[in-house]
Amino acid sequence: MKIAVFAGSFDPFTLAHDDLIRRALPLFDKIHIAIGVNSAKKGMSDIEARKKGIMALYHTVPQIEVDAFNGLTVDYCRSIGARFILRGLRNATDLDYEEAIAQNNLLLAPDVETYFLLARSGKAHISSTIVRDIWRNGGDISHLVPAEILQTITSS
C-alpha cells in the first residue's frame, strides 16, 4: 500500500493545501494529513479545531486520515508505515528550503521518499502565514480557506 504523509501546522489549512491533496489522491492509496504539534507556537486555532475542520472537509474521502503528531515527520511516517512525504512548492524559495529538509530526511530515513507537487497557478500566493495576518487584521479570508475550515476558525 502506498501511504503518504502531508505534514504541516495547517494553521489554517488553506485552499492551496486542499488543491495539493486532491491532486495527490490518484498517486497514493492513503494520505495522512498530519498536524505537527509545536507547543511553542500560539496558533489561530488549537490542534483539535484544526483536526476537526480538516476531517469535515474530507469526511467523504476514505483515502484521507487526519492526525496530530509530535517529533520528526520521518518518525511519524515509520509509525504508520508510510514511505512517502508529500510537500507543495510555491516558488524557488520553497524549493531551496524543502530540498534541504528532504535531503536531511533521507539521511534519517532512507526508506522514506519526499514527493513534491508544484502549486497550481492561482494558488501559489496562498500561505497560512498570510492568511493568519489577514485574519488577525480583520480581513476576509473566505476566498483563501475552504468553508469547513472557516467555520471552525470562526467558531473557536
Side-chain angles (χ1 to χ4, degrees), residues 61-100:
V61 185
Q63 282 172 268
I64 300 289
E65 292 202 20
V66 183
D67 200 6
F69 76 102
N70 285 294
L72 297 173
T73 303
V74 292
D75 290 340
Y76 176 75
C77 288
R78 285 183 168 151
S79 76
I80 62 164
R83 291 186 34 242
F84 306 97
I85 296 173
L86 177 63
R87 300 299 297 161
L89 300 175
R90 294 172 296 194
N91 52 43
T93 302
D94 279 357
L95 175 61
D96 289 343
Y97 177 75
E98 294 290 346
E99 192 266 341

Side-chain angles (χ1 to χ4, degrees), residues 14-33:
T14 69
L15 289 173
H17 293 131
D18 180 52
D19 182 65
L20 188 92
I21 287 290
R22 295 194 188 273
R23 290 171 43 221
L25 281 170
L27 304 174
F28 303 103
D29 300 310
K30 186 160 288 288
I31 299 174
H32 284 253
I33 300 173

